[in-house]
Amino acid sequence: MMQMILKSLYDPLYEGLEQSLNDVYSILNNETSKTAGRILGGPAAWNQEAYDLVQTISENVCIPIAAAFITVIFCWELIHLVQESNSMQNVSQEKIFLTLMKFALCMLVCAYSFKIVMSFYDIGAKAAKDLQRDSSIQFMGGVTLAELGIPAPTEDTVYSVGMIMQLAGYKIVIVLGNIGTVICSMLIYIRVMLWFIELLIYASVAPIPYSTWVNKEWGQVGMNYTRKMLALSFEGFFILLLFSVYGGVMSGLPLGNFTQSLVMMIGSGFALAVMMFKTSSISASIFNAH
C-alpha cells in the first residue's frame, strides 16, 4: 500500500517535471522565433503607427530644415565660387551648371531620404533572411529527464520518500529556471524594441545630414550618418547570427546532470541577452560608425 501511495505521488510529479523542463526550452524557442519574425518584418510591421509618425515627421518637419541648410550651403558655395574666380570673371558656364546640378541632386536626395535609409534596412533584412534560411536559430529542445540522469519510473521501480523529495527539489529548480528564461525573453524583446526605436529616430532626421553632402567641409556629416544607418540596419543580422551561434552552443551542452545542465542553459540564456546589447557596438565597429 505504501508503494502504491508513493507511486501515485511520484508518477504525476515526474511527468509534470518533464513538462516543465520542456517549457524552459520552449519559452526561449518561441521568443527567438518571434524576434526573427519581427526583424524580418521590419519597423513598419513591428509598429505601423510609429513608422507612419516618423515618416510624417521626416517629410513635414525635417525636410524644411534641410532646405534651410541647403540654402545656406548653396550661398556658401557661391561665395567661394566668386572668391576663386576673381569676382566671377573667370567662371565658365559649365562650372555654374555643375554647381546647380549638385544642389538639384542634393534636394532630390533629401526629398527621398527617408525611403533611401529604409532601403538600407531592406539590405540588412535580406542578409538576415538568407542567414535564417541557411542556419537554425532554435535552441535545443525535447530533452528528457532520463537524459539528465533522472530515470523514468518502471514497473520494477521501488519508490521512497527520498525520491519524491528529490523530484520536489528539482521542481523548485525548474520553477526558478522558468523565471530565468522569462527574464531572458523579456530582455530579448526589450533589446529588439530599443533597436527599432533607435532606427526610426535616426531615420526621421535623414534629410538634415544629407543636405550637407555637396559641401566639402560639411560632407562628413552625411557620410558618418550613412555609416551609422548601415550599422543600425545590420544589427538585426547580427542578432540572428547570435541566435544561430547560441543555438549551436545549446545543442552541444553536456547532459547527464540535471542541475548542472539547467544552470548552464539558464546561464547561456543570460549570456545571449547580454550579448544582444553588444550587437550595436559590433555593427558600429564593422561599419566604422560613430
Side-chain angles (χ1 to χ4, degrees):
M1 184 178 296
M2 181 61 67
Q3 286 295 306
M4 292 177 60
I5 294 173
L6 294 176
K7 178 179 174 59
S8 64
L9 295 175
Y10 186 89
D11 291 355
L13 186 58
Y14 187 92
E15 294 176 0
L17 184 62
E18 191 159 45
Q19 181 61 44
S20 298
L21 177 64
N22 290 328
D23 290 342
V24 171
Y25 294 104
S26 64
I27 291 173
L28 278 178
N29 281 332
N30 291 336
E31 187 58 36
T32 52
S33 298
K34 291 179 181 178
T35 300
R38 297 187 190 103
I39 291 174
L40 299 179
W46 169 68
N47 194 311
Q48 186 65 46
E49 291 77 10
Y51 183 86
D52 294 339
L53 175 63
V54 167
Q55 185 175 9
T56 301
I57 293 174
S58 176
E59 295 174 353
N60 298 335
V61 177
C62 294
I63 287 182
I65 298 175
F69 274 88
I70 292 175
T71 303
V72 172
I73 293 174
F74 181 63
C75 294
W76 193 343
E77 288 285 330
L78 289 179
I79 293 173
H80 280 284
L81 186 63
V82 171
Q83 292 174 344
E84 294 173 358
S85 61
N86 191 17
S87 299
M88 301 293 289
Q89 295 181 9
N90 300 325
V91 177
S92 62
Q93 294 181 356
E94 292 80 5
K95 195 168 186 179
I96 296 176
F97 178 78
L98 181 60
T99 301
L100 294 175
M101 181 63 70
K102 287 195 304 181
F103 281 95
L105 291 176
C106 182
M107 287 188 289
L108 182 64
V109 169
C110 289
Y112 292 93
S113 57
F114 185 81
K115 294 181 180 179
I116 292 173
V117 296
M118 283 294 103
S119 67
F120 294 162
Y121 178 85
D122 294 336
I123 297 173
K126 175 64 168 55
K129 186 178 297 184
D130 293 340
L131 173 66
Q132 186 190 36
R133 181 190 60 203
D134 297 335
S135 62
S136 173
I137 61 170
Q138 292 292 311
F139 295 104
M140 66 182 291
V143 178
T144 62
L145 291 177
E147 294 175 326
L148 297 179
I150 306 176
T154 62
E155 295 181 356
D156 299 330
T157 300
V158 178
Y159 300 93
S160 65
V161 177
M163 295 171 60
I164 297 176
M165 295 299 293
Q166 184 182 33
L167 283 188
Y170 287 154
K171 183 67 175 180
I172 295 175
V173 174
I174 283 287
V175 170
L176 297 177
N178 279 322
I179 295 174
T181 51
V182 169
I183 295 175
C184 291
S185 300
M186 187 182 303
L187 291 175
I188 292 173
Y189 174 78
I190 291 174
R191 175 64 184 92
V192 175
M193 182 180 67
L194 292 175
W195 170 50
F196 277 134
I197 293 174
E198 185 180 11
L199 179 68
L200 290 176
I201 289 176
Y202 271 93
S204 66
V205 296
I208 298 177
Y210 281 161
S211 66
T212 64
W213 256 4
V214 294
N215 185 265
K216 292 182 180 179
E217 289 79 7
W218 289 81
Q220 287 300 318
V221 175
M223 186 59 64
N224 291 336
Y225 174 80
T226 300
R227 287 196 290 260
K228 181 62 178 180
M229 287 305 302
L230 284 172
L232 282 172
S233 300
F234 273 83
E235 280 187 32
F237 169 79
F238 289 112
I239 289 174
L240 291 188
L241 179 61
L242 186 62
F243 287 169
S244 300
V245 171
Y246 271 86
V249 171
M250 294 296 295
S251 299
L253 286 180
L255 302 177
N257 184 282
F258 177 82
T259 304
Q260 180 183 3
S261 299
L262 188 63
V263 169
M264 293 179 68
M265 191 275 294
I266 300 299
S268 298
F270 275 104
L272 168 65
V274 172
M275 280 300 299
M276 283 187 63
F277 286 90
K278 292 182 176 293
T279 54
S280 176
S281 59
I282 293 174
S283 184
S285 63
I286 292 175
F287 287 96
N288 193 25
H290 55 82

